[in-house]
Amino acid sequence: MASRRNFGSNWWARRWLDVLESFGWASRLQRGRTYARQGNVLSIDLAPGVVNAKVQGTRPGPYSVKIKIKPLSDGEWNRVIEALASQAAFAARLLAGEMPEDIETAFTGVSLSLFPRAAGDIVTSCSCPDWANPCKHIAAVYYLLGEKFDSDPFLLFLLRGREKEAIIRGLREKRAALAGGGPSLPVKEAEKKEPVAEENRFPPELPVNPVEFWQAGEGLTAFQVKMHPPAVPQGVLKRLGPPPLGRYARDFYQLLNSYYREISRRAYELAYDAGDGDAANSSYANGR
């Protein structure tokens, strides 16, 4: 099937397959490549540290494939997240749903690894009668995993035992602590704080004259906002990915991307009151 492509357009998916080939499995993996391209992998489910799949072989019923990779412990993940949060660039890209190209340095910096280090780190089984390991059914699943990692890099973390939501939450908490904000208080603790003074419980009254509502108040001229292009352009879109609109998804995604880009450019221009619009556009382009 043409839709199977090369199973790895992003670096982390290619790295996954390169690591497997480095274990001396290159020839065995090639046996499963055709199976993967033909769509013989009927289902593939990921959970922390384990992959379960069904692969159609030459027999009527599909074979059951299981792949286990030892997950990192909670303590090891805490070390990894601390290392990631300490680097603003790592945190920004991960929070935007992207995989930093040098993320492996954060793992090696705490004596851990994102990818398996040796063939013994992976335990596999297949219900087929083939004695080879990996057999072509397991190899086909390896390729499909690369394709899944391509579309969602956080599945790599799931395979090492930590779900996306937990990683995002951990990064935000660590970044807040590094910024001096500290972790937020639970609701019950927050309720124990001193009660708000009566005069501060209600917002100020609106002006009697409706026209005054739209007029700038005192001190507004002293209020300044500094805008900078985001560290990850169109971060929200990149994190959410293309919408589930079938064959129209990519076109719609590109249209939204152009809107976000134009809105960001215009906001930057207005923020600097671009009487010199060209200068603002140039500054925005250089900062992206």
Side-chain angles (χ1 to χ4, degrees):
M1 293 176 64
S3 62
R4 291 305 177 200
R5 299 184 301 279
N6 293 321
F7 305 101
S9 59
N10 291 306
W11 75 263
W12 55 87
R14 295 194 301 270
R15 172 79 170 129
W16 162 254
L17 295 174
D18 288 344
V19 165
L20 297 179
E21 290 185 359
S22 73
F23 300 154
W25 296 346
S27 60
R28 293 181 183 179
L29 290 173
Q30 290 302 318
R31 298 174 61 202
R33 192 181 185 96
T34 302
Y35 259 45
R37 280 185 167 157
Q38 290 175 343
N40 286 42
V41 180
L42 305 181
S43 66
I44 182 167
D45 298 307
L46 279 78
V50 64
V51 178
N52 288 293
K54 295 290 185 181
V55 183
Q56 185 63 56
T58 55
R59 296 185 178 183
Y63 296 115
S64 297
V65 171
K66 177 167 290 198
I67 299 172
K68 291 183 178 180
I69 295 180
K70 184 180 179 181
L72 301 181
S73 67
D74 289 343
E76 289 172 333
W77 266 114
N78 287 338
R79 284 156 50 196
V80 169
I81 289 179
E82 283 184 3
L84 293 172
S86 67
Q87 299 290 328
F90 281 166
R93 296 198 66 178
L94 286 169
L95 290 172
E98 294 184 344
M99 180 75 82
E101 290 193 11
D102 49 352
I103 191 171
E104 288 182 89
T105 61
F107 282 79
T108 56
V110 291
S111 303
L112 296 169
S113 176
L114 174 59
F115 296 92
R117 287 173 168 166
D121 293 339
I122 307 176
V123 178
T124 61
S125 64
C126 179
S127 60
C128 77
D130 192 347
W131 59 269
N133 191 359
C135 64
K136 57 189 175 183
H137 313 105
I138 293 173
V141 176
Y142 281 146
Y143 278 109
L144 263 292
L145 278 175
E147 190 174 70
K148 283 188 170 292
F149 295 154
D150 223 2
S151 61
D152 185 357
F154 281 88
L155 292 178
L156 261 175
F157 298 140
L158 179 64
L159 202 56
R160 300 312 304 268
R162 187 60 58 98
E163 295 181 345
K164 177 178 180 178
E165 292 74 16
I167 291 174
I168 295 296
R169 184 171 61 252
L171 282 173
R172 285 177 175 158
E173 289 175 354
K174 297 292 184 184
R175 290 297 298 172
L178 288 171
S184 56
L185 289 172
V187 175
K188 289 186 177 180
E189 281 191 48
E191 289 174 351
K192 295 177 184 177
K193 286 188 169 185
E194 295 181 5
V196 179
E198 189 67 30
E199 62 270 16
N200 294 329
R201 287 176 181 262
F202 303 100
E205 294 183 2
L206 294 176
V208 176
N209 184 353
V211 176
E212 295 179 4
F213 179 82
W214 303 106
Q215 294 178 350
E218 295 180 3
L220 186 62
T221 54
F223 182 74
Q224 296 182 352
V225 175
K226 291 186 178 180
M227 289 187 63
H228 301 283
V232 179
Q234 291 83 52
V236 173
L237 286 179
K238 290 180 179 178
R239 180 173 179 183
L240 296 177
L245 299 178
R247 62 192 182 94
Y248 301 106
R250 184 171 295 277
D251 290 341
F252 185 73
Y253 181 81
Q254 291 176 346
L255 181 64
L256 280 180
N257 194 53
S258 66
Y259 285 159
Y260 269 72
R261 190 164 53 249
E262 176 60 20
I263 290 169
S264 297
R265 185 199 64 78
R266 182 58 179 156
Y268 190 80
E269 181 180 312
L270 290 173
Y272 288 92
D273 193 20
D276 185 2
D278 293 338
N281 292 341
S282 176
S283 297
Y284 177 73
N286 292 334
R288 291 182 66 241

